[in-house]
Amino acid sequence: MDETAAATGRASVTGSAGSVDEVSRIRDIIFGANMRDYERRFELLEQRLMQELTALRADLSARFAHGDTATSAEFDRVHDRVTSEVLQMQARLQSETDSRHSSIHEMHDAVQQTRDASDVSVTELRTLLEARAHELRDGKTDRHQLGALLRQIGETLQAPSSDMPG
């Protein structure tokens, strides 16, 4: 033991650089085989982790790509369906608009024909009434003329009649 202490004392006297080498060498002698085994295991573990990490990244990239493709396909399908429905609604709306527009024109034409017919009827009635009124004026005896005629008849009846047999 004394020799070991003396050797240790000498090592500390000779310098730190020598003692570090000796400590490393002693450590290598004592733990060397185990350390190399641990280093090998850590390297294998690190390689395995890197492989799994790479595989996981590739898997996630593939899943995201598939998800993007599926999402894009679904979006396209929904877009196509909505576009189709909008076009159908526009066609129905245009058809309904055309139908209503046609009905409005037909009603307008019918109203115009009725108005024209009533205008003709009113004009005919007015002409007929004016003609009847004119006929009544022309055909009826004037009161003044009738009064004068009746006076003349009365005077003729009151006058002594020399010509009348009696």
Side-chain angles (χ1 to χ4, degrees):
M1 268 193 156
D2 281 14
E3 287 185 328
T4 311
T8 307
R10 264 187 268 140
S12 49
V13 172
T14 58
S16 294
S19 73
V20 170
D21 286 337
E22 285 181 30
V23 170
S24 292
R25 204 176 72 206
I26 292 171
R27 213 180 274 152
D28 192 35
I29 293 171
I30 297 173
F31 300 111
N34 288 339
M35 289 300 278
R36 283 187 288 275
D37 187 43
Y38 287 138
E39 272 185 36
R40 187 181 52 78
R41 284 182 179 176
F42 282 133
E43 285 177 12
L44 288 174
L45 183 60
E46 186 178 3
Q47 286 176 356
R48 206 175 308 144
L49 283 174
M50 290 305 279
Q51 288 172 351
E52 287 184 19
L53 181 62
T54 303
L56 184 60
R57 282 184 182 160
D59 183 48
L60 285 175
S61 293
R63 285 184 184 190
F64 282 137
H66 176 67
D68 287 346
T69 303
T71 302
S72 179
E74 181 67 18
F75 178 77
D76 289 343
R77 188 180 65 75
V78 169
H79 180 266
D80 291 345
R81 186 181 62 181
V82 168
T83 301
S84 173
E85 288 177 3
V86 166
L87 291 174
Q88 288 174 356
M89 283 190 256
Q90 285 176 337
R92 285 193 306 255
L93 181 62
Q94 186 63 42
S95 173
E96 187 67 26
T97 302
D98 291 345
S99 173
R100 299 255 170 127
H101 193 267
S102 177
S103 295
I104 288 171
H105 279 294
E106 288 173 4
M107 285 191 282
H108 181 266
D109 291 345
V111 167
Q112 188 63 37
Q113 288 174 355
T114 303
R115 183 180 295 151
D116 292 346
S118 67
D119 287 347
V120 168
S121 296
V122 167
T123 303
E124 288 174 357
L125 282 174
R126 181 174 287 138
T127 304
L128 183 63
L129 285 173
E130 286 174 358
R132 295 286 181 196
H134 188 60
E135 285 176 13
L136 286 174
R137 272 190 227 122
D138 289 345
K140 113 177 163 174
T141 308
D142 188 23
R143 283 189 214 167
H144 295 290
Q145 288 177 353
L146 182 61
L149 182 64
L150 285 176
R151 264 189 246 130
Q152 193 178 27
I153 292 174
E155 288 174 5
T156 307
L157 288 176
Q158 285 181 355
S161 87
S162 50
D163 296 334
M164 284 201 192

